[in-house]
Amino acid sequence: MSPLDLRSQGLTVQNIKHNLGPARLYEEAIRAEADTVIANSGALIAYSGTKTGRSPKDKRVVRHPGSAQDVWWGSVNVAIEGSTFQIAKERAIDYLNTRTSLYVVDAFAGWDPEYRVKVRVICARPYHALFMHTMLIRPTLDELETFGEPDAWIINAGQFPANRHTTGMTSKTSVELNLETREMVILGTEYAGEMKKGVFTMMNYFMPRRGVLSMHCSATADRETGQSSVLFGLSGTGKTTLSADPKRELIGDDEHCWTDKGIFNIEGGCYAKAIDLTPEAEPDIFSALRFGAVLENVVYSEYDHAVDFANDSITQNTRGAYPIEFIQNARIPCVAGHPTDVIFLTCDAFGILPPVSRLTPEQAMYHFISGYTAKVAGTEVGVTEPEATFSPCFGGPFMVWHPGKYAELLAQRMAQHKVAAWLVNTGWSGGSHGVGSRIKLGLTRAIIDAIHSGALRSAPTTPDPQFGILAVTQCPEVPSEILVPSNTWANKTQFDDTARRLAGLFRDNFKTYASGVSAEVRAAGPS
Ligand code: ATP
Ligand code: MN
């Protein structure tokens, strides 16, 4: 391949390391960074520095006449002027020009060739290059030869801070998106996940413009029929964990699109939470963390580089990134037929929502727009009160259009393909966090199996008194006692109080969206 010339981007660094494979990037990472090592499993252990999670409050989008009408402006998409973007980009380029070498990764987003996007990542850390080599779709050598001009750019100067006195910037971190030039510039955060969600954000703009629904979900397919099932959910609800399912083919763990032909994965890798990972509970993910995978912000033994997955002293958000083909039953290419089931995952730390409920189309829209999950607040002794999170489309921070746009595309497709909708609580049972306990992973897996086998389509149900959704009361391999939450609480008054309070939170949250939906959807929420 001829040497890459990036002078048109203002980059003057001579030594550009273009499309290095994992072995080369391992070498580079270990030589360049004293704290980067190889785990005894073969994965590369790297550290992202101060930021160990995304920085949604520092995301900015250029307001341009070409797209201004399309964008859902507000706290998710904070507008900046083109000139502010230029300042950030130049600062990033100036920083990158101080490096003796740079890494460039050319790869694809989107497994369907009709919608495939050519992405070029420019960065200074070999670990960032390996991360994106892993997470994007790796082109063949032939495809690299003919790659040509990229469709989208990620310019990552995360080691260098933004200038918070710049108009529109409020901290030393800045993640800026220009939809016109299809560029993303990163300053002041080295959290690698920022890049993958940057690609997703761009897809969330460009795909709906072509009538395609982009979704924050994992997906699996039936081996025989090739039909799929998608699992929506906010962070920590189980998308990645539940999609690593030996009974099904894995399509992807986080970002998909639904076209007239079926679904396709946007990515070429998975990005799993690694906290408390065990080979017993999650064998497929555990064994995927081998040579070629990146382990982020984990603690390991100095003696043999064995990873201590239970150690959260750096962060609770430890992660492992691996190429999707490291999961044995991944389906390559990662495309599948239309979904038979749409599953909304919620980790309800209040312990109120049933483990599995069947939703009407209106209830499905109500819950899609609400995007509910709950976080466990604080780790101080005695603080057990969960905190509700509502994030439209189960991925608010990555949406570019108004949530109504995605909801409309989803409703239309679900109706056309007669898709069943389910709400699955992967959170608490027997009381709120602090009193009850999280539903066992094995039971949630049994629920997902029963959805896929069709067993729950005709299973008996009972309406939830607060939420009106139909709680399934009989599910193979799951004790019936746990399927109706009120039965699992020792204190019934407390259950009723908590349920009423949670329903109130749903109603308050939905007010923002009520005017944009039909009366039927508005009425599909808690009474
Ligand atoms: P992100 O969007 O941040 O990638 P995610 O939806 O992919 O989040 P997972 O990585 O699947 O979330 O995280 C779910 C976590 O919860 C895992 O660590 C898993 O082991 C744990 N867990 C515990 N109980 C359950 C359960 N019943 N169902 C699903 N996951 C569970
Ligand atoms: Mn995930």
Side-chain angles (χ1 to χ4, degrees), residues 9 60-63 79-93 153-155 166-169 174-187 202:
Q9 287 286 333
R60 301 289 181 271
V61 182
V62 174
R63 189 193 287 276
I80 48 163
E81 295 302 315
S83 54
T84 303
F85 181 84
Q86 283 311 321
I87 292 170
K89 181 175 171 188
E90 192 149 319
R91 194 171 169 98
I93 299 285
W153 299 75
I154 293 185
I155 301 167
T166 314
T167 312
M169 293 187 197
S174 175
V175 177
E176 313 218 340
L177 192 60
N178 187 329
L179 296 169
E180 270 57 42
T181 59
R182 302 181 173 213
E183 291 171 301
M184 162 168 264
V185 169
I186 300 175
L187 287 163
M202 285 203 228

Coordinates of all heavy atoms in Angstrom, one line a residue, residues 9 60-63 79-93 153-155 166-169 174-187 202:
Q9 N -5.6 17.1 5.7 CA -6.2 17.3 7.0 C -5.3 18.2 7.9 O -5.6 18.4 9.1 CB -6.4 16.0 7.7 CG -7.5 15.1 7.1 CD -8.9 15.6 7.5 OE1 -9.1 16.3 8.5 NE2 -9.8 15.4 6.6
R60 N -21.0 18.0 21.6 CA -21.5 19.2 20.8 C -21.7 18.8 19.4 O -21.0 17.9 18.8 CB -20.5 20.3 20.9 CG -20.1 20.8 22.3 CD -21.3 21.6 22.9 NE -21.0 22.1 24.3 CZ -21.1 21.4 25.4 NH1 -21.7 20.1 25.4 NH2 -20.8 21.9 26.6
V61 N -22.7 19.4 18.8 CA -23.0 19.2 17.4 C -23.1 20.5 16.6 O -23.7 21.5 17.1 CB -24.4 18.5 17.2 CG1 -24.7 18.2 15.7 CG2 -24.4 17.2 18.0
V62 N -22.4 20.6 15.5 CA -22.4 21.8 14.7 C -23.8 22.1 14.2 O -24.4 21.3 13.5 CB -21.4 21.7 13.6 CG1 -21.4 23.0 12.7 CG2 -20.0 21.6 14.1
R63 N -24.2 23.4 14.4 CA -25.5 23.8 13.8 C -25.2 24.3 12.4 O -24.5 25.3 12.3 CB -26.2 24.9 14.7 CG -27.6 25.2 14.2 CD -28.1 26.5 14.8 NE -28.4 26.3 16.3 CZ -29.6 25.9 16.8 NH1 -30.5 25.5 15.9 NH2 -29.8 25.8 18.0
A79 N -25.9 22.6 20.5 CA -25.4 23.3 19.3 C -24.2 24.1 19.5 O -24.1 24.8 20.5 CB -26.6 24.1 18.7
I80 N -23.3 24.0 18.5 CA -22.2 25.0 18.5 C -22.1 25.5 17.0 O -22.6 24.9 16.1 CB -20.8 24.3 18.8 CG1 -20.6 23.0 18.1 CG2 -20.7 24.1 20.3 CD1 -19.2 22.5 18.0
E81 N -21.3 26.6 16.9 CA -21.1 27.2 15.6 C -20.0 26.4 14.9 O -19.1 25.8 15.5 CB -20.6 28.6 15.7 CG -21.7 29.6 16.3 CD -22.9 29.6 15.5 OE1 -22.8 29.6 14.2 OE2 -24.0 29.4 16.1
G82 N -19.9 26.5 13.6 CA -18.9 25.8 12.8 C -17.5 26.3 13.2 O -16.5 25.6 13.2
S83 N -17.4 27.6 13.6 CA -16.1 28.1 14.0 C -15.6 27.5 15.2 O -14.4 27.3 15.4 CB -16.2 29.7 14.2 OG -17.2 29.9 15.1
T84 N -16.5 27.1 16.2 CA -16.0 26.4 17.4 C -15.5 25.1 17.0 O -14.5 24.6 17.6 CB -17.2 26.3 18.4 OG1 -17.8 27.6 18.6 CG2 -16.8 25.6 19.7
F85 N -16.2 24.4 16.1 CA -15.7 23.1 15.7 C -14.3 23.2 15.1 O -13.4 22.4 15.3 CB -16.6 22.5 14.7 CG -16.2 21.1 14.2 CD1 -16.5 20.0 14.9 CD2 -15.5 21.0 13.0 CE1 -16.1 18.8 14.5 CE2 -15.0 19.7 12.6 CZ -15.3 18.6 13.3
Q86 N -14.1 24.3 14.3 CA -12.8 24.5 13.6 C -11.7 24.7 14.7 O -10.6 24.2 14.5 CB -12.8 25.7 12.7 CG -13.5 25.4 11.4 CD -12.9 24.2 10.7 OE1 -11.7 23.9 10.7 NE2 -13.8 23.4 10.1
I87 N -12.0 25.4 15.8 CA -11.0 25.6 16.8 C -10.7 24.3 17.5 O -9.5 24.0 17.7 CB -11.6 26.6 17.9 CG1 -11.8 28.0 17.3 CG2 -10.7 26.7 19.1 CD1 -12.5 29.0 18.2
A88 N -11.7 23.5 17.8 CA -11.4 22.2 18.4 C -10.6 21.3 17.4 O -9.6 20.6 17.8 CB -12.7 21.5 18.7
K89 N -11.0 21.3 16.2 CA -10.3 20.4 15.2 C -8.8 20.9 15.1 O -7.9 20.0 15.1 CB -11.0 20.5 13.8 CG -10.3 19.5 12.8 CD -11.0 19.4 11.5 CE -10.2 18.7 10.5 NZ -10.7 18.7 9.2
E90 N -8.6 22.2 15.0 CA -7.2 22.7 14.8 C -6.4 22.3 16.0 O -5.2 22.0 15.9 CB -7.2 24.2 14.5 CG -5.9 24.6 14.0 CD -5.9 25.8 13.1 OE1 -6.8 25.8 12.2 OE2 -5.1 26.7 13.2
R91 N -7.0 22.5 17.2 CA -6.3 22.1 18.4 C -5.9 20.6 18.4 O -4.8 20.3 18.8 CB -7.2 22.4 19.6 CG -6.5 22.4 21.0 CD -7.5 23.0 22.0 NE -7.0 22.8 23.3 CZ -6.4 23.7 24.0 NH1 -6.2 24.9 23.5 NH2 -6.0 23.5 25.3
A92 N -6.8 19.8 18.0 CA -6.5 18.3 17.9 C -5.4 18.1 16.9 O -4.5 17.3 17.2 CB -7.8 17.6 17.5
I93 N -5.5 18.7 15.7 CA -4.5 18.5 14.7 C -3.1 19.0 15.2 O -2.1 18.4 15.0 CB -4.9 19.2 13.4 CG1 -6.2 18.7 12.8 CG2 -3.8 19.2 12.3 CD1 -6.1 17.3 12.2
W153 N -14.9 10.6 9.5 CA -13.6 10.7 10.2 C -13.7 10.8 11.7 O -14.6 11.5 12.2 CB -12.9 12.0 9.7 CG -12.6 12.1 8.3 CD1 -13.5 12.4 7.3 CD2 -11.3 12.0 7.6 NE1 -12.9 12.4 6.1 CE2 -11.6 12.2 6.2 CE3 -10.0 11.7 8.1 CZ2 -10.5 12.2 5.3 CZ3 -9.0 11.7 7.1 CH2 -9.3 11.9 5.8
I154 N -12.8 10.1 12.4 CA -12.7 10.3 13.8 C -11.3 10.8 14.1 O -10.3 10.1 13.8 CB -13.0 9.1 14.6 CG1 -14.5 8.7 14.4 CG2 -12.7 9.2 16.1 CD1 -15.0 7.6 15.2
I155 N -11.2 12.0 14.6 CA -9.9 12.6 15.0 C -9.7 12.6 16.5 O -10.4 13.4 17.1 CB -9.7 14.0 14.3 CG1 -9.9 13.8 12.8 CG2 -8.4 14.6 14.6 CD1 -10.1 15.1 12.1
T166 N -13.2 28.4 25.3 CA -13.8 28.4 24.0 C -15.3 28.6 24.1 O -15.9 27.8 24.9 CB -13.4 27.2 23.2 OG1 -12.1 26.9 23.4 CG2 -13.7 27.3 21.7
T167 N -15.9 29.4 23.3 CA -17.4 29.6 23.3 C -18.0 28.2 23.1 O -17.7 27.5 22.2 CB -17.8 30.5 22.1 OG1 -17.0 31.6 22.2 CG2 -19.3 30.9 22.2
G168 N -19.0 27.9 24.0 CA -19.7 26.6 23.8 C -19.1 25.5 24.5 O -19.7 24.4 24.6
M169 N -17.9 25.6 25.0 CA -17.2 24.5 25.8 C -17.3 24.8 27.3 O -17.1 26.0 27.7 CB -15.8 24.3 25.3 CG -15.7 23.8 23.9 SD -14.0 23.4 23.5 CE -14.1 23.4 21.7
S174 N -14.1 17.6 25.3 CA -14.9 18.0 24.2 C -15.0 17.0 23.2 O -14.0 16.5 22.7 CB -14.4 19.3 23.6 OG -15.1 19.7 22.5
V175 N -16.3 16.5 22.9 CA -16.5 15.5 21.8 C -17.4 16.2 20.8 O -18.6 16.5 21.1 CB -17.2 14.3 22.5 CG1 -17.6 13.3 21.4 CG2 -16.3 13.7 23.5
E176 N -16.9 16.5 19.7 CA -17.6 17.4 18.7 C -17.9 16.7 17.4 O -17.0 16.0 16.9 CB -16.8 18.7 18.4 CG -16.3 19.3 19.7 CD -16.3 20.8 19.7 OE1 -16.4 21.4 18.6 OE2 -16.3 21.3 20.8
L177 N -19.1 16.9 16.9 CA -19.6 16.2 15.8 C -20.0 17.3 14.7 O -20.7 18.2 15.0 CB -20.8 15.4 16.2 CG -21.3 14.4 15.2 CD1 -20.2 13.3 14.9 CD2 -22.5 13.7 15.8
N178 N -19.5 17.0 13.5 CA -19.9 17.9 12.4 C -20.5 17.0 11.3 O -19.9 16.1 10.7 CB -18.6 18.5 11.8 CG -19.0 19.5 10.7 OD1 -20.0 19.4 10.0 ND2 -18.1 20.6 10.6
L179 N -21.9 17.1 11.2 CA -22.6 16.2 10.4 C -22.4 16.5 8.9 O -22.6 15.6 8.0 CB -24.1 16.3 10.7 CG -24.5 15.8 12.1 CD1 -26.0 16.2 12.4 CD2 -24.4 14.3 12.2
E180 N -22.0 17.7 8.6 CA -21.8 18.1 7.2 C -20.5 17.5 6.6 O -20.5 16.9 5.6 CB -21.7 19.6 7.0 CG -23.1 20.3 6.8 CD -24.1 20.0 7.8 OE1 -23.8 20.0 9.0 OE2 -25.3 19.7 7.5
T181 N -19.4 17.6 7.4 CA -18.2 17.0 7.0 C -18.0 15.6 7.5 O -17.0 15.0 7.2 CB -17.0 17.9 7.5 OG1 -17.0 17.9 8.9 CG2 -17.1 19.3 6.9
R182 N -18.9 15.1 8.3 CA -18.9 13.8 8.8 C -17.6 13.5 9.6 O -16.9 12.5 9.4 CB -19.0 12.7 7.7 CG -20.3 12.9 7.0 CD -20.5 11.8 5.9 NE -21.8 11.9 5.3 CZ -22.5 10.9 4.9 NH1 -22.0 9.7 5.0 NH2 -23.7 11.0 4.3
E183 N -17.3 14.5 10.5 CA -16.1 14.4 11.3 C -16.4 14.4 12.8 O -17.3 15.2 13.1 CB -15.1 15.6 11.0 CG -14.5 15.6 9.7 CD -13.8 17.0 9.5 OE1 -14.4 18.0 9.5 OE2 -12.6 16.9 9.2
M184 N -15.7 13.7 13.6 CA -15.8 13.8 15.0 C -14.4 14.1 15.6 O -13.4 13.5 15.2 CB -16.3 12.5 15.6 CG -16.1 12.3 17.0 SD -17.0 11.0 17.7 CE -18.4 11.9 18.3
V185 N -14.4 15.1 16.5 CA -13.1 15.5 17.1 C -13.2 15.2 18.6 O -14.2 15.6 19.2 CB -12.8 17.0 16.8 CG1 -11.6 17.4 17.6 CG2 -12.5 17.2 15.3
I186 N -12.2 14.5 19.1 CA -12.2 14.2 20.6 C -11.0 14.9 21.2 O -9.9 14.7 20.8 CB -12.2 12.7 20.8 CG1 -13.4 12.0 20.1 CG2 -12.1 12.4 22.3 CD1 -13.4 10.5 20.2
L187 N -11.3 15.7 22.3 CA -10.3 16.3 23.1 C -10.6 16.0 24.6 O -11.7 16.0 25.0 CB -10.2 17.8 22.9 CG -9.7 18.4 21.6 CD1 -10.1 19.8 21.4 CD2 -8.2 18.2 21.6
M202 N -23.3 9.1 14.4 CA -23.4 9.5 12.9 C -24.5 8.6 12.2 O -25.3 9.1 11.4 CB -22.1 9.4 12.3 CG -21.1 10.5 12.7 SD -19.8 10.7 11.4 CE -18.4 10.8 12.5

